[in-house]
Amino acid sequence: MTSRPAPATFVRRFDHVGITVADLDAVTAFFVGLGLEADPKMAVEGEFLDTVIGMTGARTEIVMLRAPGGGTTLELSSFTRPDHLPGSPAAPANELGLRNVAFEVQDLNAAVDHAAAAGYGLVGGIAEYEGVWRMAYVRGPEGIIVSLAEHIENRETS
């Protein structure tokens, strides 16, 4: 009888979340504007990519972004081959699939104002959860919902 490890032992760490976009430069600029740091853009193609994604002749450009303190990264990918397929840029929060990417911010109002100045508005409004968090959803470029959350204790001590 073979013993199999518990499923939780397969995962070593959370590495990244990937989002496929049409306009890599615009989406990268949006996230850099929120304070993420971007690695240089790189292109990936060849047998590795074709095997992993199950397509032949694929080519993608990728930018990896991270919070200033490090940690899990956000991978933005834009395919030059084959052409990208349109998604649902106005998807509501309850549509199945990956719906948002979330970040803790120092100043929620300033982050929301920055997004609004760049043309990206709130999905709903700003709400407070049990006196601990203030949070808002912003619909960013290409319909990406970005959850911005401010820990209230951090705001009061800064």
Side-chain angles (χ1 to χ4, degrees):
M1 183 184 246
T2 9
S3 108
R4 294 190 335 204
T9 62
F10 293 120
V11 174
R12 293 185 59 204
R13 66 183 176 90
F14 197 121
D15 187 72
H16 73 274
V17 172
I19 302 175
T20 302
V21 301
D23 189 337
L24 186 59
D25 293 334
V27 179
T28 298
F30 171 80
F31 284 109
V32 167
L34 288 176
L36 296 183
E37 298 169 349
D39 289 348
K41 187 187 305 184
M42 63 182 192
V44 180
E45 62 185 321
E47 184 179 347
F48 166 77
L49 181 63
D50 291 354
T51 300
V52 170
I53 68 170
M55 295 179 179
T56 303
R59 182 178 192 281
T60 186
E61 292 184 328
I62 294 172
V63 172
M64 301 300 287
L65 299 130
R66 66 187 40 78
T72 302
T73 57
L74 177 63
E75 175 192 82
L76 301 178
S77 176
S78 184
F79 280 82
T80 54
R81 287 189 317 260
D83 286 339
H84 62 272
L85 299 175
S88 180
N94 66 337
E95 184 175 299
L96 297 178
L98 180 63
R99 275 306 115 230
N100 71 77
V101 57
F103 300 100
E104 182 177 344
V105 297
Q106 289 182 0
D107 184 337
L108 180 61
N109 289 342
V112 167
D113 290 346
H114 174 81
Y120 304 108
L122 292 171
V123 171
I126 296 175
E128 186 174 303
Y129 180 73
E130 296 185 354
V132 178
W133 290 99
R134 293 179 67 238
M135 190 167 115
Y137 274 9
V138 171
R139 187 163 313 267
E142 300 190 27
I144 300 168
I145 296 175
V146 180
S147 174
L148 302 173
E150 175 184 15
H151 195 251
I152 291 172
E153 290 176 8
N154 289 347
R155 182 181 60 184
E156 293 171 352
T157 60
S158 3

